[in-house]
Amino acid sequence: MNFWADLPQALPGLQEGLWMTLKVLAFGVLGGIVIGTLLALARLSRFTVLSQAAKLYVNYFRSVPLLLVLLWFYFAVPLIYNWVTGEFMTIDTAFASSVVAFMLFEAAYFSEIVRAGIQSISKGQMNAAYALGMTYGQTMRLIILPQAFRKMTPLLLQQSIILFQDTTLVYAVGLTDFFRSASVRGDLMGLLTPYIVFVGVVYFVISFIASSLVKQLQRKISV
């Protein structure tokens, strides 16, 4: 059997794998942006302890390989869950640990993007908000962050594309994502090389289209 003859039968499994990849990506991006925004605000805080703690977090996660972080959380998440709830995890450990690892790891990168976005807004706007009687929280939520997010949206999307490519590393903890689905099918049918090439082409096409759309968005925002 050749690759093209086997592919139609493999498609349902590949689609499930791609769906799993997109779920990990969505949780990683959303969780990473939320945690990253909190880290960015902490780094810009006037409280030294808070600022230094956030700086340590960012520098630490940006200095260790993502694969190592995935393996850490694969073993740590079930232990922490058992410690907190007193029960054993009944959900997919590989999926839960991968999502937690991606959120916490990517938060370090997203926080630097958000911090740069906040710092790009002129201090005059913050002073004007204070003059109108707004609190720090109101100023950030209503004035600064909306403008900062508008400016840094292309960078956040670009980082999300990198995360999409990095999701193939969940192969190491046994999660059946798109890459693992294809490699298992290829290995089973004796067609490993063509399936690996196929996966590479799919990742290239998706990443290329996404990058082109991000560039168009960036040009539109910069006008």
Side-chain angles (χ1 to χ4, degrees), residues 106-156:
E106 291 300 323
Y109 290 86
F110 283 128
S111 74
E112 290 301 274
I113 297 173
V114 175
R115 186 166 68 99
I118 293 173
Q119 289 178 323
S120 70
I121 307 300
S122 69
K123 291 184 178 178
Q125 295 198 34
M126 184 167 280
N127 294 332
Y130 286 149
L132 291 172
M134 298 176 76
T135 63
Y136 174 80
Q138 290 173 326
T139 303
M140 277 293 170
R141 191 174 71 254
L142 301 175
I143 305 293
I144 305 300
L145 284 178
Q147 295 183 72
F149 270 102
R150 184 178 182 277
K151 281 188 173 183
M152 62 195 174
T153 294
L155 289 176
L156 292 173

Side-chain angles (χ1 to χ4, degrees), residues 77-98:
V77 167
L79 292 175
I80 295 171
Y81 182 86
N82 177 254
W83 179 65
V84 173
T85 65
E87 299 178 357
F88 292 103
M89 284 183 67
T90 55
I91 58 175
D92 187 346
T93 302
F95 175 72
S97 61
S98 296

Side-chain angles (χ1 to χ4, degrees), residues 24-34 103 106 110 156 159-160 163:
V24 173
L25 175 66
F27 280 113
V29 170
L30 293 176
I33 289 176
V34 171
M103 286 196 300
E106 291 300 323
F110 283 128
L156 292 173
Q159 183 62 32
S160 301
L163 174 58

Side-chain angles (χ1 to χ4, degrees), residues 6-88:
D6 184 63
L7 184 59
Q9 299 176 45
L11 280 180
L14 295 177
Q15 287 172 350
E16 285 186 23
L18 184 58
W19 175 238
M20 179 61 75
T21 295
L22 295 177
K23 283 199 294 185
V24 173
L25 175 66
F27 280 113
V29 170
L30 293 176
I33 289 176
V34 171
I35 299 171
T37 301
L38 295 176
L39 284 170
L41 293 174
R43 285 205 68 179
L44 295 172
S45 171
R46 67 178 185 276
F47 299 106
T48 306
V49 174
L50 195 58
S51 175
Q52 289 301 313
K55 183 179 180 181
L56 179 65
Y57 178 100
V58 171
N59 288 337
Y60 178 75
F61 275 98
R62 295 186 70 181
S63 303
V64 294
L66 175 55
L67 179 59
L68 195 59
V69 175
L70 275 169
L71 292 174
W72 283 345
F73 282 100
Y74 179 70
F75 294 107
V77 167
L79 292 175
I80 295 171
Y81 182 86
N82 177 254
W83 179 65
V84 173
T85 65
E87 299 178 357
F88 292 103

Side-chain angles (χ1 to χ4, degrees), residues 164-206:
F164 169 67
Q165 297 162 354
D166 287 345
T167 55
T168 54
L169 291 175
V170 299
Y171 181 94
V173 295
L175 186 62
T176 310
D177 69 328
F178 181 57
F179 175 68
R180 184 175 175 82
S181 300
S183 63
V184 168
R185 178 75 184 187
D187 195 31
L188 184 67
M189 303 304 293
L191 298 167
L192 183 58
T193 300
Y195 267 102
I196 295 298
V197 172
F198 173 72
V199 168
V201 171
V202 172
Y203 271 95
F204 169 76
V205 170
I206 294 176

Side-chain angles (χ1 to χ4, degrees), residues 154-155 158 213-223:
L155 289 176
Q158 200 65 48
L213 293 174
V214 169
K215 287 178 182 175
Q216 288 182 21
L217 177 65
Q218 195 165 18
R219 283 196 292 271
K220 188 176 179 180
I221 289 177
S222 62
V223 170

